[in-house]
């Protein structure tokens, strides 16, 4: 094949749009809202990466689940039981793997779309993008938040929540072949007021960090912004990652949906002209 033929083939190749979904616990309902908006606008993604809840949502998308399908999965979760888990530090995470096995029976590499889940090595505190391995186990590893849960063992190494080293793995999405990457940051907005409840939350977070076998790296969130062509930032400051109430989850879904709709023109422009590197939503 000659030079001009290769160039023609390159420029005629369909652009691969990637999706990088961030961590955030129950705030992941906003991911579903954003996906619903993308579906309505006809935006389809050809590569997906995620950390923690973003990995779970991303894997469901890569398998072919729609936003409505994912809502049905959420409905299958025992919210009361889930709410109690944070009272038991270093809980075994096998129950999550067992739950996910209902939806993921094979290997990550067998998913219809290129997909990668980001997790953190408990020994080296380095991040790893899993593009192979038992899907349910890999997703559990990406979501194992210490000190609430013990790490998930894969090939002799314990892995923990991917948010510690790459909260929104947009750069990793490019490794899977994405030409342009849309990211969703669930933790972009924080509460404005420093009330008693907020101070208690900060103290608890500090204590949890001290007990954690892994630590946040300095660029754990920044690298997501560096790697994304557009970063969607739903304002979830009124919600907690542990809010699994029906009302709270419904509202978080709506926030994700409305934020995506409001920024759709910019998202489409970023997809059309990725070199302009639009990074933030308004």
């Amino acid at each position: 094949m000659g030079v001009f033929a290769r160039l023609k083939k390159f420029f005629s190749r369909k652009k691969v749009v990637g999706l990088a979904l961030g961590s955030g616990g129950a705030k992941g309902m906003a991911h579903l809202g954003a996906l619903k908006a993308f579906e309505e606008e006809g935006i389809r993604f050809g590569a997906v990466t995620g950390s923690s809840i973003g990995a779970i949502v991303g894997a469901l998308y890569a398998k072919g689940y729609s936003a409505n399908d994912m809502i049905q999965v959420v409905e299958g979760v025992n919210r009361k039981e889930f709410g109690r888990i944070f009272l038991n530090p270093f809980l075994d995470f096998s129950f999550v793997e067992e739950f996910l096995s209902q939806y993921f029976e094979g290997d990550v590499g067998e998913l219809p779309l290129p997909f990668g889940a980001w997790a953190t090595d408990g020994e080296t505190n380095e991040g790893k993008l899993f593009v192979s391995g038992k899907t349910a186990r890999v997703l559990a590893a990406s979501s194992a938040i210490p000190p609430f849960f013990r790490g998930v063992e894969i090939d002799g190494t314990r892995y923990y929540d991917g948010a510690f080293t790459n909260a929104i793995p947009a750069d990793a999405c490019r490794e899977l072949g994405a030409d342009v990457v849309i990211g969703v940051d669930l933790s972009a907005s924080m509460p404005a007021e420093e009330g008693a409840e907020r101070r208690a939350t900060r103290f608890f977070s500090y204590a949890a960090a001290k007990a954690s076998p892994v630590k946040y790296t300095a660029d754990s969130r920044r690298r997501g912004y560096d790697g994304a062509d557009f970063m969607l930032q739903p304002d979830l400051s009124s919600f907690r990652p542990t809010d699994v109430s029906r009302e709270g989850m419904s509202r978080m879904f709506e926030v994700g949906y409305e934020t995506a709709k409001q920024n759709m023109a910019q998202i489409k422009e970023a997809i059309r002209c990725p070199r302009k590197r639009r990074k933030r939503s308004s």
Side-chain angles (χ1 to χ4, degrees):
M1 184 183 293
V3 174
F4 289 107
R6 287 198 296 270
L7 286 173
K8 182 179 179 181
K9 182 179 180 180
F10 175 80
F11 286 110
S12 63
R13 180 178 66 90
K14 188 175 180 180
K15 185 185 299 179
V16 177
V17 181
L19 178 65
L21 299 176
S23 60
K27 292 183 181 183
M29 284 300 296
H31 284 325
L32 275 58
L35 286 173
K36 180 68 173 178
F38 294 144
E39 289 172 6
E40 292 178 354
E41 297 291 335
I43 296 176
R44 298 187 63 81
F45 299 97
V48 190
T49 54
S51 281
S52 199
I53 188 62
I56 295 174
V57 173
L60 287 169
Y61 182 90
K63 190 173 181 180
Y65 280 56
S66 67
N68 287 337
D69 292 334
M70 295 183 207
I71 290 174
Q72 295 304 310
V73 173
V74 173
E75 290 299 321
V77 176
N78 186 323
R79 291 185 177 85
K80 288 185 178 180
E81 193 63 32
F82 184 86
R84 295 192 189 103
I85 62 179
F86 292 99
L87 301 176
N88 301 283
F90 294 108
L91 189 68
D92 187 288
F93 215 38
S94 58
F95 74 97
V96 170
E97 181 181 342
E98 183 178 346
F99 173 78
L100 292 172
S101 293
Q102 301 175 63
Y103 306 96
F104 303 102
E105 63 284 344
D107 189 276
V108 172
E110 297 171 354
L111 292 170
L113 290 180
F115 170 76
W118 195 271
T120 303
D121 188 318
E123 296 178 5
T124 66
N125 210 89
E126 295 178 349
K128 177 175 179 176
L129 181 68
F130 281 92
V131 294
S132 64
K134 184 181 176 183
T135 306
R137 174 156 295 188
V138 165
L139 296 178
S142 179
S143 310
I145 310 170
F148 305 116
F149 306 112
R150 293 202 292 271
V152 176
E153 187 173 321
I154 299 177
D155 296 330
T157 299
R158 285 197 176 274
Y159 289 91
Y160 294 86
D161 198 293
F164 285 92
T165 47
N166 199 349
I168 318 152
D171 52 346
C173 199
R174 294 187 185 279
E175 295 179 23
L176 297 183
D179 299 301
V180 52
V181 180
I182 305 302
V184 184
D185 183 1
L186 302 180
S187 303
S189 301
M190 299 299 290
E193 296 183 2
E194 182 72 3
E197 184 177 351
R198 175 63 181 157
R199 288 195 295 272
T201 300
R202 288 182 62 185
F203 175 79
F204 179 78
S205 298
Y206 174 80
K210 285 292 185 181
S212 173
V214 288
K215 309 298 178 185
Y216 285 100
T217 57
D219 63 348
S220 61
R221 290 186 69 249
R222 187 186 68 243
R223 62 190 297 179
Y225 282 79
D226 290 343
D229 292 280
F230 187 89
M231 185 65 74
L232 198 65
Q233 300 173 304
D235 184 355
L236 300 168
S237 57
S238 299
F239 307 95
R240 300 181 211 165
T242 56
D243 186 356
V244 293
S245 67
R246 187 175 297 275
E247 179 185 2
M249 296 182 83
S250 177
R251 287 173 58 203
M252 286 186 276
F253 176 92
E254 290 300 324
V255 170
Y257 176 83
E258 293 298 335
T259 303
K261 281 291 192 180
Q262 291 164 7
N263 288 277
M264 197 57 68
Q266 292 171 274
I267 292 169
K268 289 182 176 180
E269 179 63 11
I271 293 172
R272 189 178 70 85
C273 303
R275 292 182 182 179
K276 292 184 178 180
R277 308 295 290 171
R278 291 169 174 79
K279 298 278 185 72
R280 301 175 66 88
S281 65
S282 57

